[in-house]
């Protein structure tokens, strides 16, 4: 069940930070998305290509679709024609494929580089040191059809708020370091989910990805 009161609460909390809300609708029905659209929420995040494709077909491009899952190269071609932002790019091969497919359809696809900031090994992303080198080499030899708009990261799942704040702070520093030698298009720092977005905002996030708080828990 969609919690509209939460939507309005979250909006109020984001406003002073000028942060963008991505409503994470994975596993939730299209009817829930429609309900949020009616209340002015127009950006939705999805993790699975198959599910996203079905929802895109049902709802069209009126909502903006963000891909926030881990993307396999062989699935890139399915989402590139319409995706607004791909949050989780963490390899050269996926970026190359996004470039190739975007060029084929005459688009420039906005992406974020995912950085591994959590303790959990299972979470993906570039190591902090690697992302700097990767981005520098991208700037020297940009790929056609892709625009790197910023960074994304997920903190460790823990009750230790200081540890989470430290991880987000590390990501923000990295973001600022890269922003210093980027153009103004490099302007997005995607961090914070239902359980930790308040900390993320304090640490400089300007895009939060919130699912269960708005849509209820996932089974
Ligand atoms: C599922 C997911 C979210 C949303 O998680 P909630 O805890 O439900 O808010 C955010 N970001 C990513 C990358 C996700 O996979």
């Amino acid at each position: 069940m969609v919690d509209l009161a939460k939507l309005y609460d979250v909006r109020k909390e984001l406003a002073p930070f000028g942060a963008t809300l991505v409503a994470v609708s994975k596993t939730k029905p299209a009817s829930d998305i429609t309900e949020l659209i009616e209340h002015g929420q127009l950006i939705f995040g999805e993790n699975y290509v198959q599910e996203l494709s079905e929802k895109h077909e049902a709802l069209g491009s009126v909502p903006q679709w963000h891909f926030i899952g881990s993307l396999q190269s062989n699935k890139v071609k399915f989402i590139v024609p319409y995706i607004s932002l791909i949050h989780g790019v963490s390899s050269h091969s996926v970026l190359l494929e996004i470039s190739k497919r975007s060029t084929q359809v005459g688009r420039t696809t906005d992406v974020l580089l995912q950085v591994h900031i959590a303790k959990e090994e299972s979470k993906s992303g570039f190591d902090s040191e690697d992302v700097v080198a990767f981005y520098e080499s991208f700037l020297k030899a940009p790929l056609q059809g892709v625009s790197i708009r910023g960074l994304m990261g997920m903190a460790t799942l823990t009750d230790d708020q200081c540890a989470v704040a430290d991880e987000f702070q590390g990501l923000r520093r990295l973001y600022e370091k890269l922003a210093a030698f980027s153009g103004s298009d490099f302007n997005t720092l995607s961090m914070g989910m239902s359980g930790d977005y308040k900390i993320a905002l304090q640490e400089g996030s300007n895009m939060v990805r919130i699912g269960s708080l708005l849509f209820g828990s996932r089974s």
Side-chain angles (χ1 to χ4, degrees):
M1 260 245 306
V2 172
D3 189 337
L4 292 172
K6 275 278 166 5
L7 174 68
Y8 285 92
D9 287 349
V10 168
R11 263 189 201 148
K12 261 190 218 134
E13 288 168 327
L14 299 190
F17 299 93
T20 299
L21 172 61
V22 179
V24 176
S25 46
K26 63 182 174 216
T27 79
K28 301 297 178 182
S31 55
D32 282 3
I33 297 174
T34 307
E35 204 177 337
L36 288 195
I37 292 172
E38 283 164 2
H39 287 264
Q41 174 62 30
L42 295 177
I43 305 177
F44 294 88
E46 289 280 342
N47 289 55
Y48 310 103
V49 169
Q50 177 66 32
E51 185 183 346
L52 171 57
S53 301
E54 286 164 15
K55 287 174 178 170
H56 173 249
E57 227 163 82
L59 297 166
S61 296
V62 168
Q64 293 174 33
W65 298 105
H66 286 196
F67 191 80
I68 64 169
S70 68
L71 185 58
Q72 292 167 299
S73 288
N74 62 351
K75 301 279 175 67
V76 166
K77 59 175 176 288
F78 298 117
I79 64 170
V80 147
Y82 65 86
I83 204 77
S84 287
L85 181 64
I86 299 175
H87 287 233
V89 173
S90 58
S91 78
H92 184 61
S93 57
V94 167
L95 198 65
L96 263 183
E97 180 67 10
I98 294 171
S99 166
K100 178 180 144 192
R101 297 293 179 174
S102 301
T103 309
Q104 280 175 0
V105 296
R107 289 192 89 215
T108 296
T109 300
D110 287 340
V111 308
L112 305 178
L113 300 179
Q114 185 170 353
V115 183
H116 185 260
I117 57 171
K119 298 283 180 293
E120 294 111 329
E121 285 300 322
S122 56
K123 287 182 174 153
S124 52
F126 289 100
D127 286 333
S128 300
E129 310 83 63
D130 297 342
V131 78
V132 178
F134 183 85
Y135 186 60
E136 279 173 341
S137 64
F138 175 85
L139 288 181
K140 276 183 206 134
L143 294 168
Q144 244 195 313
V146 286
S147 175
I148 296 179
R149 303 296 306 268
L151 301 180
M152 177 271 215
M154 277 189 277
T156 305
L157 192 60
T158 170
D159 290 333
D160 183 349
Q161 305 217 337
C162 292
V164 171
D166 277 352
E167 290 175 3
F168 283 147
Q169 199 177 97
L171 186 58
R172 197 209 48 219
R173 287 215 194 93
L174 202 56
Y175 168 74
E176 282 170 355
K177 184 169 167 178
L178 300 189
F181 55 80
S182 310
S184 55
D185 280 356
F186 191 93
N187 60 10
T188 304
L189 180 55
S190 167
M191 57 184 200
M193 324 193 341
S194 291
D196 57 18
Y197 72 97
K198 291 181 192 188
I199 307 172
L201 290 170
Q202 292 298 337
E203 299 303 337
S205 170
N206 60 23
M207 184 174 281
V208 297
R209 310 172 311 270
I210 296 183
S212 44
L213 204 62
L214 299 173
F215 290 98
S217 58
R218 290 176 295 273
S219 45

